[in-house]
Amino acid sequence: MRSTRIAPLVAISAVATLVPALTPAVASAAAPTPRQVVNDPLRQYTHQTPRWKRCEADLPANYQCATLKVPLDYSRPGGRKLDVAVSRIKATSPQKRHGVLLLNPGGPGGPGLDMPLWMGPELPTAVKERYDLIGFDPRGVGQSSPLGCGLNEDELNWQRPYKAATFDKDVRWARTVADKCRAKSGDALAHFTTRNTARDMDVIRAVLGEKKISYLGYSYGTYLGAVYTQMYPKRTDRFVLDSAVDPQRIWRGMIQVWAEGAEPAFTRWTQWTAERHATYGLGDTPARVSKTFWDLVARADREPIEIQGTLLTGDDIRAGRAVFFDVQGAAEAVAELKKAAEGTPAPAPSRRAEAPRHVPPSFGRAVPSDNSDAVFWAVACADTRSWPRDPEQYRRDAIRDKARYPLYGDFASHIKPCAFWKNGSEPATTVNNSVGALILQNEWDSQTPLVSGQGLRRAMKGARMVTVLGGQGHGVYGSKSCADQTATAYLTTGRLPASDLRCVATPAQAQNRLDLPLPAPQGIPGLLGRS
């Protein structure tokens, strides 16, 4: 199950080859009259009839797919159209059916078409009885008019530490990524935004014949869900926002919060590991554990350390800051690194087996190998106009933040392609409402740290938040968390808790994982934890 996945010490990413499959089932709509077009310019989209078909011959028959049409630019609905691929597994009990539950795994850039399949086993029967599970690839992702920039391996490497000697090279990298994406997609890039994806969700709602939608969104999906509640509060039913993005921090601030959140996680790890010096041999006080780690970083900067066939520099090791949110995994990883530095590497630890990753249905459409990276930059850059345009601002911030947050500060604040991206079609959405929703948050989440979840809670005044104390990892609901019962009760009854809640994760619960897309491009191989 996906709740038991964990990345190895050295994460080497590979692109799955998609095989030809069934022809997409494209929705049809009767041609609207001129009067209908004037009165409802979106009618041609909201009144589509989806042609549901079995997604693929070797997948369950109840897993059905269709392709809808949406406008690239909602201010010009008669212009260019995009595909949005959707899927469904119907509610198992027609008598108990409440409605539809749209699913989003995160990103930006994460495909969601297969979510009804892989989330099904993670969801309780009471939820599956009441909801049609609806997956979709957001615009630009996977089977939904996929974006690509033609980026090579070096250009996909976005984890770049600040160094005076390489600053000009990094500026050229950021400009090149922006230029290549613009060359591939042109002015259309301005419309690949969260606001437009929220509009696409509302088209899905209308096509499915629902007055309201319920929603389960993880990571970036929490921001997408929050934007939907802001734009369509009266069409919002039961929204679970899991591992939350702070809408005030999009998007540079959400990368910078990784550095901010890594420091307390590192401190916690040194304390935990010092208490287990007999097991890991990394130091019997937090200060000595910290010294062991930083000595390894310095050693790798002088001479890269080879581990499992990969040479790691000190910067590679720092780039793996996420591993420290899993104290046991980090202790094993650093102990392994120490052995490798001493010339006596041992087999990599394997506390949890690596589960096979399901390849999403392909419909026979080729997806660019850099699709997730292209969509990440498209959305992160076009969603907000707060990215600095002056490269020197990034230099100053990287120097400042490396001093503040030694583990990852310069990585987080260094220059990104958004410095050279054209503005999106609209300003960022201000999320500030009283719509009811349930926010779930692990205390030790490497990708959306606790402060991020608290930020979304402040913005959504009608929401309630469940904090899993001691919870580790990115993704709560479906990981057999102590918060699952509250989320299930909300989805099945519509009743939110009277106030914000806290629950304490057991040691076993703290080790469970959901396999969610990390909210960032793939990055480089390194000492990388998938927390």
Side-chain angles (χ1 to χ4, degrees):
M1 295 297 183
R2 295 198 169 207
S3 59
T4 60
R5 286 176 54 88
I6 187 170
L9 179 67
V10 179
I12 307 294
S13 62
V15 178
T17 301
L18 298 179
V19 296
L22 300 180
T23 303
V26 181
S28 62
T33 66
R35 177 173 293 181
Q36 288 172 330
V37 171
V38 171
N39 293 339
D40 182 5
L42 293 180
R43 180 183 174 86
Q44 62 176 305
Y45 303 105
T46 58
H47 284 67
Q48 297 174 82
T49 301
R51 296 178 179 174
W52 295 106
K53 292 186 178 180
R54 188 171 184 166
C55 292
E56 292 196 8
D58 61 346
L59 295 176
N62 66 340
Y63 174 51
Q64 298 177 313
C65 291
T67 299
L68 307 181
K69 296 292 184 180
V70 297
L72 169 69
D73 179 356
Y74 275 84
S75 70
R76 299 177 60 217
R80 177 181 164 187
K81 297 176 172 60
L82 300 178
D83 291 340
V84 170
V86 295
S87 64
R88 72 177 180 186
I89 294 178
K90 288 186 176 181
T92 58
S93 173
Q95 296 77 19
K96 295 181 180 179
R97 184 183 182 278
H98 176 74
V100 296
L101 182 68
L102 270 67
L103 306 169
N104 182 274
L113 195 62
D114 63 339
M115 276 194 81
L117 273 183
W118 65 261
M119 275 303 296
E122 313 290 353
L123 295 174
T125 299
V127 171
K128 291 182 286 188
E129 287 177 337
R130 287 167 171 79
Y131 293 98
D132 297 349
L133 303 182
I134 306 297
F136 67 102
D137 282 349
R139 58 169 55 202
V141 177
Q143 301 307 307
S144 296
S145 298
L147 290 177
C149 299
L151 303 179
N152 62 36
E153 185 176 356
D154 181 65
E155 290 157 355
L156 290 170
N157 171 16
W158 72 282
Q159 297 226 62
R160 294 171 180 257
Y162 171 77
K163 295 183 186 299
T166 60
F167 179 73
D168 290 343
K169 177 183 176 183
D170 293 337
V171 171
R172 288 194 300 272
W173 161 78
R175 189 188 300 273
T176 297
V177 171
D179 287 347
K180 291 182 79 167
C181 291
R182 190 177 304 119
K184 285 283 188 181
S185 300
D187 293 340
L189 279 179
H191 303 287
F192 287 85
T193 64
T194 299
R195 284 182 66 86
N196 279 331
T197 301
R199 293 181 176 111
D200 296 343
M201 286 171 53
D202 202 56
V203 169
I204 294 172
R205 174 201 60 77
V207 168
L208 296 178
E210 301 289 336
K211 293 182 178 179
K212 294 184 176 184
I213 58 170
S214 295
Y215 178 80
L216 171 59
Y218 295 88
S219 191
Y220 162 74
T222 65
Y223 179 64
L224 173 59
V227 169
Y228 187 92
T229 69
Q230 189 69 34
M231 295 175 69
Y232 304 104
K234 294 183 178 180
R235 298 173 187 172
T236 298
D237 195 1
R238 302 168 187 178
F239 271 48
V240 177
L241 307 177
D242 189 317
S243 307
V245 167
D246 182 350
Q248 294 296 319
R249 293 178 182 251
I250 63 154
W251 281 110
R252 191 179 185 219
M254 280 306 302
I255 297 175
Q256 290 173 319
V257 81
W258 298 340
E260 179 185 337
E263 296 301 319
F266 182 81
T267 298
R268 169 180 174 250
W269 170 73
T270 63
Q271 295 166 346
W272 187 93
T273 304
E275 295 170 357
R276 293 158 180 83
H277 175 61
T279 301
Y280 300 108
L282 297 176
D284 57 3
T285 68
R288 287 173 179 161
V289 172
S290 179
K291 184 177 185 302
T292 297
F293 172 78
W294 287 108
D295 284 350
L296 286 168
V297 171
R299 155 72 165 78
D301 275 335
R302 293 191 304 271
E303 180 183 355
I305 299 170
E306 182 176 352
I307 184 165
Q308 296 182 16
T310 299
L311 292 175
L312 298 180
T313 67
D315 291 331
D316 293 333
I317 295 169
R318 290 195 300 124
R321 51 94 210 168
V323 75
F324 294 104
F325 288 77
D326 175 354
V327 287
Q328 184 177 343
E332 292 174 352
V334 176
E336 185 74 11
L337 188 67
K338 182 171 180 284
K339 291 177 184 178
E342 294 167 347
T344 57
S350 56
R351 288 185 291 120
R352 293 180 286 271
E354 185 78 1
R357 178 182 291 274
H358 174 68
V359 178
S362 69
F363 291 147
R365 168 183 277 168
V367 177
S369 60
D370 64 345
N371 178 237
S372 64
D373 296 76
V375 177
F376 178 86
W377 293 125
V379 174
C381 299
D383 258 1
T384 174
R385 299 175 182 175
S386 63
W387 288 94
R389 298 298 184 179
D390 180 6
E392 290 300 320
Q393 180 69 53
Y394 292 90
R395 184 202 298 268
R396 292 190 295 270
D397 292 351
I399 292 171
R400 176 199 67 199
D401 287 347
K402 186 173 184 180
R404 287 179 175 175
Y405 312 117
L407 198 59
Y408 198 71
D410 54 326
F411 285 92
S413 292
H414 199 11
I415 196 160
K416 304 293 186 290
C418 300
F420 304 105
W421 214 270
K422 288 188 176 180
N423 282 340
S425 56
E426 303 170 87
T429 303
T430 299
V431 177
N432 181 19
N433 62 53
S434 298
V435 177
L438 184 67
I439 300 168
L440 306 179
Q441 185 68 44
N442 275 331
E443 181 181 13
W444 298 104
D445 183 329
S446 64
Q447 307 306 121
T448 50
L450 179 58
V451 294
S452 178
Q454 292 167 338
L456 181 60
R457 175 65 181 88
R458 287 192 297 272
M460 298 189 67
K461 299 170 180 59
R464 297 293 182 268
M465 181 169 172
V466 182
T467 303
V468 182
L469 300 177
Q472 297 181 159
H474 190 49
V476 178
Y477 191 49
S479 68
K480 300 176 177 60
S481 163
C482 58
D484 281 14
Q485 184 175 357
T486 302
T488 298
Y490 170 57
L491 286 173
T492 54
T493 69
R495 292 192 293 271
L496 285 167
S499 60
D500 292 347
L501 302 176
R502 294 182 174 189
C503 65
V504 179
T506 66
Q509 289 171 339
Q511 298 307 317
N512 288 331
R513 294 290 187 277
L514 285 174
D515 181 25
L516 302 175
L518 299 184
Q522 294 175 2
I524 57 176
L527 186 71
L528 195 61
R530 191 176 176 94
S531 291

